[in-house]
Amino acid sequence: KAGVTQTPRYLIKTRGQQVTLSCSPISGHRSVSWYQQTPGQGLQFLFEYFSETQRNKGNFPGRFSGRQFSNSRSEMNVSTLELGDSALYLCASSSDSGGRTDTQYFGPGTRLTVL
Amino acid sequence: AQRVTQPEKLLSVFKGAPVELKCNYSYSGSPELFWYVQYSRQRLQLLLRHISRESIKGFTADLNKGETSFHLKKPFAQEEDSAMYYCALYTGRRALTFGSGTRLQVQP
């Protein structure tokens, strides 16, 4: 099976702009989670989607949003970009077979730089 | 509040030496813990989880609820073990709380 894919791999934006990142989960996986990784804060949970519904959300401002499509692909959007949004954004998918801790498989990430 | 602490940013050992990567957690519920590893230029991947009680690539980790720890151990380090290691705590509804990570450097 192909792994989790994320596009684009690199992005450069300026303050105030908005950005959309895309994630394609492993075939058959219905749960998609997003994480932000920065040198200062480490890996932090953003949100999780299942069957096009957001089931959980981390402690991030409303500028961070996401959605999931019927084919389980997911996008996340960040509006009014700030310098502090520069980070590696990771997507993870899991089968959500019913186990509380189904393994999360991570993508390679999208490196966002805000100038 | 849930928290995962990895006190060492860098752990440097020689090949063949024992390795212990420390992880402590704070969680009010029943903890479920994981170790993730990221090799150079590779994506983050699951190494092991405490509920499986398995040994992967010679690594083991035991959950100690009394000490709220989940240290990762290997008796004899190999150069290919050099990587970034993250301890993670499952905090419900598909969310993981990660520690800050420890870089393991195994010298020849």
Side-chain angles (χ1 to χ4, degrees), chain A residues 25-102:
Chain A
I26 291 172
S27 178
H29 284 191
R30 297 162 66 192
S31 170
V32 174
S33 300
W34 288 89
Y35 293 83
Q36 182 196 61
Q37 186 175 26
T38 59
Q41 300 298 318
L43 274 154
Q44 293 184 286
F45 173 77
L46 279 158
F47 29 63
E48 188 262 353
Y49 286 86
F50 177 82
S51 288
E52 303 177 64
T53 301
Q54 186 184 89
R55 294 196 297 188
N56 196 5
K57 188 177 194 302
N59 190 24
F60 279 82
R63 300 185 296 107
F64 291 82
S65 63
R67 59 178 176 167
Q68 187 180 35
F69 301 94
S70 57
N71 61 358
S72 295
R73 189 177 70 85
S74 177
E75 289 181 347
M76 68 162 281
N77 183 277
V78 188
S79 62
T80 320
L81 284 166
E82 300 177 0
L83 294 179
D85 297 333
S86 293
L88 181 67
Y89 289 88
L90 294 173
C91 164
S93 76
S94 69
S95 62
D96 201 68
S97 60
R100 290 182 62 221
T101 53
D102 295 320

Side-chain angles (χ1 to χ4, degrees), chain B residues 35-47:
Chain B
W35 277 99
Y36 278 80
V37 61
Q38 188 167 29
Y39 300 102
S40 179
R41 298 192 192 88
Q42 294 187 27
R43 60 187 67 189
L44 196 62
Q45 58 186 285
L46 178 67
L47 180 62

Side-chain angles (χ1 to χ4, degrees), chain A residues 4 37 96 100-101 103 106, chain B residues 32 43 49 86 90 94:
Chain A
V4 177
Q37 186 175 26
D96 201 68
R100 290 182 62 221
T101 53
T103 298
F106 283 83
Chain B
E32 296 189 47
R43 60 187 67 189
R49 60 178 70 195
Y86 294 93
Y90 181 71
R94 303 297 179 273

Side-chain angles (χ1 to χ4, degrees), chain B residues 24-25 27 41 55 70 72 83 94 104:
Chain B
N24 288 90
Y25 67 91
Y27 187 57
R41 298 192 192 88
S55 173
F70 187 56
L72 183 67
R94 303 297 179 273
L104 174 63

